[in-house]
Amino acid sequence: MLPWAAGGRMAAEAPQRLAPGGHLLVETSERQAARTVEAVVRNGLLPQVVTSDELNATVVIGTKPIR
């Protein structure tokens, strides 16, 4: 399984599991962040990418819109 595939599956299930305004956080690599963002957007979530040089970490946050 490709590492970003797990993030894609989580993003696909998130809209049914999250309350409006809820967040899905997916730890990923900088290299794979774009694919994770695509999966988040494809499933109706609003994306944000957060990185920490100090922790050498990248997280994609998907937020379910409040409608």
Side-chain angles (χ1 to χ4, degrees):
M1 169 176 50
L2 296 173
W4 59 267
R9 281 198 308 276
M10 287 187 283
E13 294 180 16
Q16 293 79 33
R17 297 178 180 268
L18 291 175
H23 305 287
L24 168 71
L25 283 74
V26 180
E27 185 178 12
T28 188
S29 69
E30 284 186 51
R31 194 179 94 218
Q32 297 170 342
R35 283 189 164 171
T36 306
V37 166
E38 289 172 7
V40 165
V41 170
R42 186 172 47 251
N43 288 285
L45 302 176
L46 304 173
Q48 178 182 2
V49 178
V50 179
T51 59
S52 170
D53 292 333
E54 180 180 343
L55 299 174
N56 191 30
T58 302
V59 175
V60 174
I61 303 170
T63 303
K64 184 173 180 175
I66 299 173
R67 296 185 185 196

